[in-house]
Amino acid sequence: MARERTTRQPAGPGRTVRRPRSPKSAVSASEAPTQKLVTAKPRRRPIAPRFRDIGFTRRALVLVGVVAILALSYANSLRIMINQQRDLATANAQIAGRSAQIAELDAQLQRWRDPAYVKSQARTQLGWVMPGETGYRVIGLDGKVVTEDGASSTISTTATTDQIRWWERLSSSVQAADALPPKG
């Protein structure tokens, strides 16, 4: 007993309309074992072989593209951040160096405020002596003053009392200019 089927709309692209079977064409399974029912399969667009072999879907490709775009945008931000950290480290190093230099200059200023340090520096660097003391200098073979550590100094080897003061030299040069030239 064959049931009559109603016609339907196609379920998708490429599908055909099914028509109801007529009672004449209804054949029992025992009468026609070799006859096959042919059903129309929906046609799909074939996927390109390169994507079928890899196993990527369109969603996966879109996801990879979005991740790549995000990575590029974050890479630029990361580069900027690394440059700023490097600049900050350089600035901190400069600040630390200058702070150490300031501390050293402050310590030196405190030493120079001490009268005993000033006296000792006047003795060693300038060769000065206190009133009533006798100063001695050792002169090396090269004619320069030898200091305590054995190095030569640029201190003048003549005593300050032996030098003529500048105004005395000036007055003597004026007197020499006023004098008459010698005859002869």
Side-chain angles (χ1 to χ4, degrees):
M1 180 165 157
R3 262 171 65 184
E4 197 172 307
R5 295 186 184 183
T6 59
T7 59
R8 298 189 290 182
Q9 293 293 328
R15 294 196 175 189
T16 59
V17 177
R18 282 190 155 172
R19 298 184 181 192
R21 289 182 152 180
S22 65
K24 294 179 194 174
S25 64
V27 179
S28 67
S30 61
E31 292 178 1
T34 59
Q35 187 179 10
K36 292 184 179 177
L37 290 176
V38 177
T39 59
K41 291 186 179 179
R43 285 187 155 191
R44 289 182 153 181
R45 286 189 346 201
I47 299 175
R50 63 176 184 241
F51 294 129
R52 191 179 317 155
D53 294 340
I54 298 173
F56 281 125
T57 63
R58 287 185 187 140
R59 286 183 182 173
L61 291 176
V62 168
L63 180 66
V64 168
V66 167
V67 168
I69 290 171
L70 287 175
L72 289 175
S73 65
Y74 286 136
N76 189 32
S77 299
L78 183 64
R79 181 185 55 84
I80 291 170
M81 184 184 75
I82 290 171
N83 287 340
Q84 286 177 347
Q85 285 179 348
R86 182 178 31 123
D87 293 343
L88 183 64
T90 303
N92 286 337
Q94 288 177 349
I95 289 170
R98 296 221 173 117
S99 296
Q101 185 180 11
I102 289 171
E104 179 183 334
L105 290 173
D106 282 340
Q108 187 178 3
L109 181 63
Q110 290 300 323
R111 284 193 308 260
W112 279 103
R113 287 184 180 159
D114 182 22
Y117 181 76
V118 173
K119 286 179 185 178
S120 70
Q121 290 299 313
R123 285 177 183 266
T124 57
Q125 290 184 5
L126 302 175
W128 290 3
V129 291
M130 294 298 288
E133 292 181 353
T134 306
Y136 295 100
R137 294 189 191 136
V138 178
I139 300 174
L141 296 175
D142 58 355
K144 295 185 178 181
V145 176
V146 178
T147 60
E148 294 175 4
D149 58 358
S152 296
S153 174
T154 58
I155 298 175
S156 172
T157 58
T158 59
T160 56
T161 57
D162 297 340
Q163 292 181 350
I164 302 173
R165 296 185 179 105
W166 68 272
W167 59 83
E168 293 175 350
R169 278 187 280 148
L170 179 66
S171 66
S172 66
S173 69
V174 169
Q175 290 172 358
D178 281 345
L180 294 172
K183 290 185 181 179

